Amino acid sequence: QVQLVESGGGLVQPGGSLRLSCAASGSISSVGDMAWYRQGPGKERELVATITSSGRTYYRDPVKGRFTVSRDNAKKTMYLQMNSLKSEDTAVYYCNARISGLRAGLWSNEEYEYWGQGTQVTVPS
């Protein structure tokens, strides 16, 4: 069974930094594109940043220049370094990844989408 587990959230003062991690585990053949999403209070879930298996990145405008997404393919782990945090960054941050591996008892090269359980980031105003 494939799992994504986020960690690293917490309470941080405005202007501070946090580093989130997302680790994939289980019966995995390969991890494809990965992404961070977030859902603020009373808001819809939104894309934050993406990273391909080769390391190409994309950031939404609100986090450009402040957040950095990276990954360690050997560890099947993605990171989000968040600097200069603002109150509007307060949200539950979710990891998303396309992963191939053992599914329903069969090994497959087809990628399926997985989500982590989320980690809370709180930046008080």
Side-chain angles (χ1 to χ4, degrees), residues 6 8-9 13 20 23 26-27 33 38 42 46 48 55 57-58 66 68 75 79 85 91 98 111 115 120:
E6 301 101 333
Q13 293 302 310
L20 306 183
S27 301
D33 294 350
R38 68 185 180 185
E46 63 178 9
V48 175
T57 59
Y58 165 81
R66 299 188 299 123
T68 302
K75 295 182 178 180
Y79 306 96
L85 283 161
R98 297 194 63 82
E111 290 184 342
W115 289 89
Q120 176 70 48

Side-chain angles (χ1 to χ4, degrees), residues 41-83:
K43 299 180 180 179
E44 293 186 354
R45 190 173 298 190
E46 63 178 9
L47 178 67
V48 175
T50 66
I51 185 166
T52 67
S53 56
S54 60
R56 189 170 67 248
T57 59
Y58 165 81
Y59 301 92
R60 287 195 64 245
D61 284 348
V63 306
K64 278 182 181 178
R66 299 188 299 123
F67 290 11
T68 302
V69 61
S70 61
R71 63 191 286 171
D72 183 330
N73 289 333
K75 295 182 178 180
K76 299 184 182 66
T77 300
M78 175 178 63
Y79 306 96
L80 186 67
Q81 178 66 43
M82 305 186 294
N83 298 327

